[in-house]
Amino acid sequence: MFQTHIGVDDLMDRGARLLIVDDDPDIRELTRQFLHAHGYDVDAVEDGVAMRKALEQESYALIVLDVMMPGEDGLSILRSLDRATAPAIIVMSVIGEEVDRIVGLEMGADDYIAKPASPRELLARIRSVLRRQGERPATSAAAPGRHFQRFAGWRLDAIARQLFDPDDVVINLSDGEFRLLMTFVDHPRRVLTRDFLLDHSRGANAEHFDRAIDVQVSRLRRKLMRDGGSSGGGSAGGRGDELIRTVRNEGYMFAADVERR
């Protein structure tokens, strides 16, 4: 039986609306009831068609998306979403199906969880993703006294969670990409192991497998694949493959000088 005690963390997120997408009606309803008991407004639907209809009618903070569904599976649904405007996504995949989790991360999922998952673990993952999402300002204009982390012509706003390229264009980052970039800029010109990057960008309790970080680094490099050298601000150039260097048999290094101003 699920416990319904509401703690401090529940009160912090209270009112957030969640969407559960799972073809199993029993799991769907039990999950909905459990999360509702912990202070969330929760809708639950059985497939991608119903999910899209729900997204047209409501605004959700987060979607819990099952991978193994008949017809259109969870990864196909995830692929169809615009990650710049869609809610945060937690992908649920069957234990042992590591490829689903890797592909899910590559498509922009904010977190993944092995299925069957305990309700408590799912609740903890939801809290973590929502906490990381934080409050994002409606405008990118710099507030008085706002400091940015600058590197190779790029500008990172840690408060607004926004990345600006050398032409001052906002580059959309998933939550995972943002946290990984923050880890790099906080530790410039140091070789960082995959375990270090996993612990600092996904949390100490994240499932550790090297391929997850390799996928995230690859995605982040693609976002940084712009020529920042002409805009100044660093000596390493502006391309993603130059900014984030692979150190054979050790990990990765952020190869730009970082200034905070």
Side-chain angles (χ1 to χ4, degrees):
M1 179 180 295
F2 295 149
Q3 298 178 10
T4 59
H5 173 71
I6 297 178
V8 174
D9 285 339
D10 300 304
L11 294 175
M12 292 174 61
D13 294 331
R14 197 173 183 85
R17 183 173 287 275
L18 313 179
L19 181 62
I20 310 299
V21 184
D22 196 309
D23 65 300
D24 187 312
D26 293 332
I27 292 177
R28 199 165 62 235
E29 182 58 21
L30 287 172
T31 304
R32 189 196 67 78
Q33 291 179 9
F34 178 80
L35 294 175
H36 179 74
H38 283 79
Y40 297 97
D41 291 327
V42 187
D43 294 329
V45 298
E46 69 278 8
D47 57 24
V49 173
M51 181 203 74
R52 293 183 182 93
K53 189 173 298 184
L55 288 174
E56 291 175 358
Q57 298 172 351
E58 297 286 352
S59 178
Y60 295 97
L62 183 144
I63 299 172
V64 179
L65 180 62
D66 185 29
V67 169
M68 298 300 293
M69 294 188 292
E72 186 180 17
D73 63 32
L75 294 181
S76 296
I77 294 171
L78 179 60
R79 187 183 297 112
S80 72
L81 294 174
D82 180 355
R83 295 304 294 125
T85 58
I89 304 285
I90 294 179
V91 170
M92 299 187 71
S93 63
V94 177
I95 289 176
E97 294 297 329
E98 182 176 301
V99 65
D100 287 341
R101 284 173 274 171
I102 292 171
V103 173
L105 285 172
E106 194 164 32
M107 291 180 181
D110 295 282
D111 204 350
Y112 53 85
I113 185 170
K115 189 179 182 182
S118 74
R120 286 287 176 186
E121 182 182 2
L122 177 59
L123 178 62
R125 297 292 184 99
I126 290 171
R127 286 173 175 167
S128 179
V129 170
L130 292 178
R131 188 161 52 245
R132 294 192 302 257
Q133 293 285 82
E135 292 294 332
R136 303 191 182 189
T139 175
S140 63
R146 174 75 59 83
H147 289 91
F148 299 90
Q149 288 164 299
R150 302 172 186 268
F151 55 90
W154 296 73
R155 179 163 53 99
L156 181 64
D157 185 339
I159 296 176
R161 300 171 69 89
Q162 290 181 316
L163 175 67
F164 299 84
D165 75 3
D167 296 320
D168 213 33
V169 174
V170 176
I171 306 301
N172 291 315
L173 299 178
S174 71
D175 187 61
E177 291 164 352
F178 173 81
R179 286 181 282 117
L180 181 60
L181 180 57
M182 282 296 301
T183 302
F184 277 125
V185 300
D186 285 343
H187 304 86
R189 298 195 178 279
R190 289 175 50 189
V191 177
L192 306 179
T193 67
R194 288 174 172 82
D195 283 345
F196 182 93
L197 291 169
L198 279 163
D199 287 344
H200 285 74
S201 66
R202 300 197 66 79
N205 295 323
E207 296 180 47
H208 282 51
F209 54 97
D210 290 349
R211 180 64 177 138
I213 277 297
D214 292 339
V215 167
Q216 290 277 36
V217 168
S218 177
R219 286 175 49 203
L220 183 57
R221 277 175 169 161
R222 287 198 294 270
K223 297 290 180 72
L224 295 170
M225 280 290 182
R226 292 162 182 256
D227 184 10
S230 61
S231 299
S235 59
R239 289 178 56 85
D241 53 348
E242 296 172 345
L243 289 172
I244 304 174
R245 296 180 181 171
T246 300
V247 181
R248 188 177 178 84
N249 298 325
E250 294 190 48
Y252 296 97
M253 181 176 70
F254 194 69
D257 294 321
V258 178
E259 298 180 357
R260 185 175 183 273
R261 54 186 173 85

